[in-house]
Amino acid sequence: RASSFVPDLPRLAIALYQFEKLLSLYLPDLANHFDTLGIRPNMYASEWFMTLFCYCFPLNTVEKIWDMFFVDGWHTIHVVGLAILHRAQGNLLKLEFDTCVPYLKRYPDVSCI
């Protein structure tokens, strides 16, 4: 959709807002931890969403994500993002801001996909 690529990336802003709400709904402990640390999805998930996970996964995993994306749309991006956070939740809950954000940027464990 063209609106994803216009200045200010409104589709990305919407996707990140939705992701934050889904995180609160499905992973409330992690969402509370992120709130306490001042971590917002735009600090880690923008790269995931803008590149449809090409930034962080090997090609064979990206192909699976893209297959799901072309069938189910943006819903897939949220599901994959939540799967990453669910898988990492135990570690993330132990981290402080200065280690949590870098962990999120390098983390994705492909075994959750």
Side-chain angles (χ1 to χ4, degrees):
R1 192 175 225 202
S3 66
S4 297
F5 303 102
V6 297
D8 299 327
L9 302 171
R11 182 64 181 107
L12 176 62
I14 291 168
L16 291 169
Y17 173 80
Q18 292 169 331
F19 187 70
E20 188 168 34
K21 297 305 175 191
L22 290 168
L23 178 61
S24 295
L25 182 65
Y26 291 103
L27 300 170
D29 293 339
L30 187 58
N32 289 334
H33 183 62
F34 283 177
D35 282 343
T36 300
L37 298 178
I39 296 174
R40 299 286 172 256
N42 66 323
M43 300 168 103
Y44 59 91
S46 294
E47 292 168 344
W48 297 350
F49 294 0
M50 288 178 63
T51 65
L52 298 178
F53 297 96
C54 283
Y55 170 79
C56 55
F57 285 126
L59 183 58
N60 65 333
T61 303
V62 170
E63 289 171 347
K64 293 175 190 173
I65 294 169
W66 284 20
D67 283 346
M68 293 184 306
F69 177 75
F70 289 130
V71 171
D72 297 327
W74 283 100
H75 170 77
T76 300
I77 304 308
H78 292 130
V79 169
V80 172
L82 288 172
I84 291 168
L85 295 179
H86 181 265
R87 176 86 172 164
Q89 183 172 231
N91 291 332
L92 290 168
L93 289 171
K94 299 174 192 171
L95 300 177
E96 295 299 323
F97 180 88
D98 60 333
T99 51
C100 194
V101 173
Y103 182 88
L104 285 164
K105 287 183 171 265
R106 70 164 167 60
Y107 172 70
D109 176 358
V110 294
S111 66
C112 68
I113 304 302

